[in-house]
Amino acid sequence: MSYDLESSIGFKINQTANKINNKFNTVLQKYDIAPEQRAALEIIKYEKEVNQTKIANILAKDKTTISRTLASLEKKGFILKKQINKRTNLIELTPQGEKILEESVLIVKEFRKKVSSNLDENEIKKIVELLEKVAFNMEN
């Protein structure tokens, strides 16, 4: 049996994602918010009629994980859940949630820029295209 871990696409994607997340955690630490929480706030701000399912789909996470993320954001006072019916809550940012997004926007933009700093536009497009193909493979 050969040892293929280092040449495994899944391993390399996961390894890279872990490095990005670890660094992003450090960048966001002073705002007392995790990358997934920050992403959820961004989705809530810019998407229409946001609920837990929509956030889970966009972040490709299970509803339980998103439920914990939203509970944490609600506890911090960053979001409000408005019950529409027995099964659906729409989620909105509070003024505190807006403030944390605004305070962290520059550092997040800088971080996102750094991730691709030594890549040209064609390389970035190609990476995105390839990652979308890999994601498609996992859906089928």
Side-chain angles (χ1 to χ4, degrees):
M1 184 165 128
S2 64
Y3 183 67
D4 295 332
L5 189 61
E6 283 294 322
S7 61
S8 163
I9 291 172
F11 176 76
K12 282 298 189 188
I13 290 171
N14 192 53
Q15 186 181 51
T16 303
N18 285 338
K19 286 179 181 181
I20 291 169
N21 279 327
N22 288 340
K23 188 70 171 177
F24 201 29
N25 265 318
T26 303
V27 166
L28 290 175
Q29 208 167 30
K30 71 179 184 179
Y31 301 102
D32 188 31
I33 193 166
E36 193 167 276
Q37 293 172 344
R38 175 72 176 53
L41 290 177
E42 209 169 317
I43 291 165
I44 294 163
K45 180 174 176 83
Y46 294 106
E47 292 287 327
K48 292 184 168 116
E49 296 186 8
V50 178
N51 59 28
Q52 180 177 324
T53 301
K54 189 171 195 172
I55 295 169
N57 289 338
I58 292 171
L59 294 179
K61 298 282 186 171
D62 61 83
K63 286 183 185 178
T64 304
T65 300
I66 297 306
S67 180
R68 283 193 300 268
T69 298
L70 294 176
S72 178
L73 290 171
E74 193 171 29
K75 186 177 180 181
K76 291 177 181 183
F78 296 156
I79 63 167
L80 283 175
K81 293 179 186 174
K82 291 187 175 182
Q83 190 163 12
I84 301 302
N85 57 45
K86 286 184 180 182
R87 302 187 75 191
T88 307
N89 289 316
L90 287 184
I91 304 162
E92 296 178 351
L93 291 179
T94 64
Q96 280 181 279
E98 289 277 359
K99 184 179 178 203
I100 202 77
L101 272 177
E102 189 177 310
E103 288 176 357
S104 62
V105 72
L106 288 178
I107 199 160
V108 169
K109 282 183 180 182
E110 286 176 30
F111 180 81
R112 289 175 179 166
K113 192 185 227 180
K114 182 178 178 174
V115 169
S116 59
S117 62
N118 64 347
L119 302 170
D120 66 39
E121 196 174 314
N122 289 330
E123 290 172 320
I124 293 168
K125 285 180 184 177
K126 191 64 175 176
I127 289 171
V128 170
E129 177 186 315
L130 293 171
L131 289 172
E132 286 172 351
K133 282 185 176 183
V134 173
F136 178 80
N137 290 343
M138 295 300 94
E139 292 170 0
N140 297 313

